[in-house]
Amino acid sequence: MNRTFHRGTVLAFLLGAVLLWLVVAVELSGASSGKSGAEEQVLQQLSLRAQKQLGPQPQFRGQVEKFYAHMGDKPAWLQNGKLTPQGSALIDLFEHAERKGLRPQDYGDWPETMRQLKEAKNSQQQLSVDVALTTAAMRYISDLYYGRFASMEIGFALEKRKKQLNLAGFLATKMVHAPDVPEAIREVEPPFGEYQRTLAALHRVERMEQSSFKPLPVPKKSIHPGESYASLPELVARLQQLGDLPQSMTRPTGVTEYEGEIVTAVRRFQDRHGLVVDGIVGRATVGALNVPLRERVEQLELTLERWRWVPRRLAREPMIIVNIPDFRAYVLDRKHQWVMVQRVILGRAYRYRTPMFFDQMESVVFRPYWKVPYSIQRKELVPKIARNPGYLKRHDYEIVTAANRPAHVAINNATLARLRSGTLKLRQLPGEKNSLGLIKFDFPNPYSVYMHGTPAQQLFARARRDFSHGCIRVEHPAALAAWVLRDVPGWTQEKIEAAMHGTETQTVDLPHPIPVVILYGTAVVEQDGEIRFLPDIYHYDARLKAALARPRPRITAGH
């Protein structure tokens, strides 16, 4: 009995000693880290406030707290109550965010916050400024990497499968001790040459904006080359300001003849602005000349935003970009140099808009059938067949079953009713009359959009080319097919031509799918730096501008 009691006493003593050692170890650990319970609570509260200011987007969740865990729960941008060089460099970026097409007010009021830092009475108030700087840095980096709005939030599908950026890790490893903060920031920007050229163009147009301009009066009747134009000096000044006419070009006082270099400059301006290139100074041309440069800056900013939506991995691959307002397709090699630019026809603005998305081209079809979509069949073709049954044969259509087999039925009311209901379908035979032309480029997607040729070649001469039901008609499909099939053995230009004009439908699968990106940018910067400004045909700029104008939670130190 005594032995049992003694053993219990010893065990109790040992347990008490262990507990005492643990308590002392914890206290020593807290002392060595310089943290108190109050400080930990303050940092936790500041992290929660920062989370609210950043918003609910997944890239921000828990990132402020993780960042300060990386930093040992110590200030990252302050030493002895003063800003580090990296902290100062970040604030400079925030205050000049317009250089990246962003808004400085989205990243805090730094003169006010610096005043608060100067008046801070304790380390907790200093920490509050440090957390505000971290919060602003995370928003700024996220805006450059993802864009201010995810494309899915406003109805587009460009950023799927985009790699997440570890904001806490990036700040801790790349920014806190960075010898060159602006250079480190470039790592998160889109790696596309198109983005960099657009950024450079933004700076050029902002410099142009600093010079004054008096709007041109709209002429009562269009001014043709060779005619007199009273506002010729103002026209010359505007063309020189915009870079379409050399600064060295001068006109004698009182000369009002619209001719020579000035006509050439107007034609260049018209081409850069998606207008009919005729050299005539009419209402549309004067209207484009009078657009304030602030609006051109906004077009460039919106284009930068959309490039931030494009998955970064595509910068390492050959690809095809279709820009909707430009009505052009750009073929890029692995170094993202343009190897081909083609005019395209796209979806009508008011009924059949071509969607913005990206997917992979998987095959090329020579002499394709056109399986008529049900909506086109019911709304457009059945009424024509009802009026004239010969329409089918004249345009090489056939009636097929749901299994795409010829139905061999007479054109009567019962057949028309089945066509209207969709139990019978229309299919256009391969050949010169086929609406898809002689080549189809397939990149399966939820929108049933693809690229193809067209027998209606005359439409490519138009400046504005929104004539399709949403698919993308290319002007020179054989040239595009030669590039797409360049790595497929045996597919020479001669074989492509033979397949186009043969008798069989052929499908060629691509060994390496090619990314196809359908973009919307009303500002395009050519590889030589020339800027094209284009009409907002789908009103997507207005929509994105409204979304970006929504107020965001203010970033403050708030003590």
Side-chain angles (χ1 to χ4, degrees), residues 105-336:
Q105 63 266 34
D106 285 341
Y107 311 103
D109 180 350
W110 286 97
E112 170 60 19
T113 305
M114 287 298 93
R115 184 191 63 77
Q116 293 177 352
L117 177 62
K118 186 176 181 180
E119 296 175 358
K121 296 180 174 59
N122 53 53
S123 61
Q124 292 180 3
Q125 291 180 350
Q126 292 174 357
L127 183 60
S128 179
V129 171
D130 197 272
V131 172
L133 208 160
T134 298
T135 308
M138 287 189 175
R139 178 181 283 177
Y140 182 81
I141 291 168
S142 175
D143 288 351
L144 288 175
Y145 185 83
Y146 297 100
R148 287 172 280 175
F149 272 84
S151 70
M152 297 294 287
E153 290 184 43
I154 50 177
F156 304 126
L158 278 173
E159 86 288 353
K160 63 181 181 178
R161 300 190 293 273
K162 188 163 187 175
K163 184 179 178 181
Q164 285 288 108
L165 175 65
N166 179 350
L167 287 168
F170 182 82
L171 278 181
T173 60
K174 300 292 182 73
M175 301 298 297
V176 171
H177 302 294
D180 187 336
V181 168
E183 184 61 33
I185 284 283
R186 289 192 184 97
E187 185 178 328
V188 302
E189 294 186 76
F192 304 102
E194 291 78 7
Y195 174 87
Q196 294 300 331
R197 291 197 299 273
T198 305
L199 202 58
L202 173 70
H203 300 158
R204 281 164 45 205
V205 177
E206 284 177 331
R207 288 194 295 271
M208 288 181 195
E209 191 183 8
Q210 295 171 9
S211 58
S212 61
F213 168 71
K214 181 181 177 182
L216 289 165
V218 178
K220 293 181 179 178
K221 71 182 194 74
S222 297
I223 309 299
H224 290 70
E227 294 180 348
S228 179
Y229 182 31
S231 297
L232 194 70
E234 290 83 359
L235 174 63
V236 168
R238 185 59 161 174
L239 291 170
Q240 288 177 327
Q241 181 189 26
L242 299 176
D244 293 293
L245 190 63
Q247 293 289 336
S248 58
M249 193 273 179
T250 59
R251 298 282 287 177
T253 304
V255 175
T256 60
E257 288 294 317
Y258 170 54
E259 59 188 5
E261 286 182 81
I262 306 174
V263 175
T264 302
V266 166
R267 291 175 64 86
R268 180 171 184 256
F269 174 86
Q270 290 170 332
D271 182 59
R272 288 199 307 111
H273 291 78
L275 302 169
V276 176
V277 183
D278 55 13
I280 298 170
V281 181
R283 183 175 296 274
T285 298
V286 171
L289 283 163
N290 285 341
V291 170
L293 287 176
R294 175 43 40 185
E295 291 186 25
R296 300 308 190 193
V297 166
E298 289 172 353
Q299 286 179 261
L300 289 159
E301 290 174 344
L302 296 176
T303 298
L304 289 170
E305 176 71 5
R306 293 188 180 104
W307 272 108
R308 294 173 187 128
W309 299 344
V310 179
R312 299 163 69 86
R313 65 178 177 80
L314 297 184
R316 300 187 297 272
E317 303 180 42
M319 63 192 292
I320 298 169
I321 298 171
V322 177
N323 185 34
I324 294 170
D326 199 17
F327 298 109
R328 291 187 183 187
Y330 298 83
V331 178
L332 281 64
D333 64 15
R334 194 171 296 279
K335 295 181 179 178
H336 272 223

Side-chain angles (χ1 to χ4, degrees), residues 223-505:
I223 309 299
H224 290 70
E227 294 180 348
S228 179
Y229 182 31
S231 297
L232 194 70
E234 290 83 359
L235 174 63
V236 168
R238 185 59 161 174
L239 291 170
Q240 288 177 327
Q241 181 189 26
L242 299 176
D244 293 293
L245 190 63
Q247 293 289 336
S248 58
M249 193 273 179
T250 59
R251 298 282 287 177
T253 304
V255 175
T256 60
E257 288 294 317
Y258 170 54
E259 59 188 5
E261 286 182 81
I262 306 174
V263 175
T264 302
V266 166
R267 291 175 64 86
R268 180 171 184 256
F269 174 86
Q270 290 170 332
D271 182 59
R272 288 199 307 111
H273 291 78
L275 302 169
V276 176
V277 183
D278 55 13
I280 298 170
V281 181
R283 183 175 296 274
T285 298
V286 171
L289 283 163
N290 285 341
V291 170
L293 287 176
R294 175 43 40 185
E295 291 186 25
R296 300 308 190 193
V297 166
E298 289 172 353
Q299 286 179 261
L300 289 159
E301 290 174 344
L302 296 176
T303 298
L304 289 170
E305 176 71 5
R306 293 188 180 104
W307 272 108
R308 294 173 187 128
W309 299 344
V310 179
R312 299 163 69 86
R313 65 178 177 80
L314 297 184
R316 300 187 297 272
E317 303 180 42
M319 63 192 292
I320 298 169
I321 298 171
V322 177
N323 185 34
I324 294 170
D326 199 17
F327 298 109
R328 291 187 183 187
Y330 298 83
V331 178
L332 281 64
D333 64 15
R334 194 171 296 279
K335 295 181 179 178
H336 272 223
Q337 295 298 304
W338 297 355
V339 297
M340 187 186 308
V341 180
Q342 288 208 27
R343 287 182 282 192
V344 298
I345 291 168
L346 296 160
R348 298 172 197 164
Y350 298 106
R351 294 183 64 189
Y352 301 107
R353 294 179 176 183
T354 299
M356 282 176 65
F357 69 100
F358 92 91
D359 229 299
Q360 305 277 343
M361 185 181 292
E362 297 179 355
S363 62
V364 179
V365 183
F366 293 96
R367 298 186 66 79
Y369 286 87
W370 181 37
K371 299 173 185 177
V372 181
Y374 172 65
S375 62
I376 299 174
Q377 174 177 305
R378 182 174 61 85
K379 295 177 183 178
E380 299 182 29
L381 297 185
V382 171
K384 292 178 181 178
I385 297 166
R387 289 194 298 270
N388 179 10
Y391 183 89
L392 275 176
K393 185 175 182 181
R394 188 163 66 252
H395 294 279
D396 287 351
Y397 287 102
E398 63 179 352
I399 299 174
V400 297
T401 65
N404 283 317
R405 292 180 181 147
H408 303 299
V409 293
I411 303 299
N412 52 37
N413 289 337
T415 298
L416 291 171
R418 293 180 68 189
L419 286 170
R420 289 189 190 97
S421 68
T423 55
L424 287 177
K425 301 187 178 194
L426 290 175
R427 182 173 72 171
Q428 194 173 29
L429 299 170
E432 301 292 340
K433 296 179 182 178
N434 191 285
S435 295
L436 305 187
L438 299 174
I439 308 179
K440 174 187 174 186
F441 303 88
D442 252 335
F443 41 101
N445 58 80
Y447 312 99
S448 299
V449 166
Y450 42 85
M451 301 174 77
H452 61 84
T454 175
Q457 286 288 307
Q458 72 281 3
L459 295 178
F460 289 106
R462 304 277 189 91
R464 176 167 172 162
R465 297 186 291 275
D466 54 327
F467 303 119
S468 84
H469 290 85
C471 284
I472 302 158
R473 307 177 196 170
V474 297
E475 185 175 18
H476 302 295
L480 182 59
W483 182 81
V484 168
L485 298 174
R486 68 199 182 284
D487 295 329
V488 182
W491 279 95
T492 62
Q493 192 68 55
E494 291 75 17
K495 186 171 182 178
I496 288 169
E497 292 292 337
M500 290 170 63
H501 301 289
T503 57
E504 301 293 327
T505 297

Side-chain angles (χ1 to χ4, degrees), residues 36-90:
S36 69
E39 286 175 327
E40 288 182 349
Q41 188 176 12
V42 167
L43 184 56
Q44 187 175 31
Q45 289 172 348
L46 291 173
S47 297
L48 288 172
R49 185 175 68 191
Q51 185 69 61
K52 289 180 181 177
Q53 291 174 355
L54 287 169
Q57 289 86 355
Q59 68 263 31
F60 296 127
R61 288 177 196 153
Q63 291 297 303
V64 175
E65 202 166 351
K66 288 179 183 176
F67 171 70
Y68 280 100
H70 274 296
M71 304 307 300
D73 292 339
K74 292 289 187 181
W77 316 107
L78 300 176
Q79 287 181 352
N80 300 319
K82 304 292 184 183
L83 279 174
T84 64
Q86 292 81 7
S88 295
L90 278 173

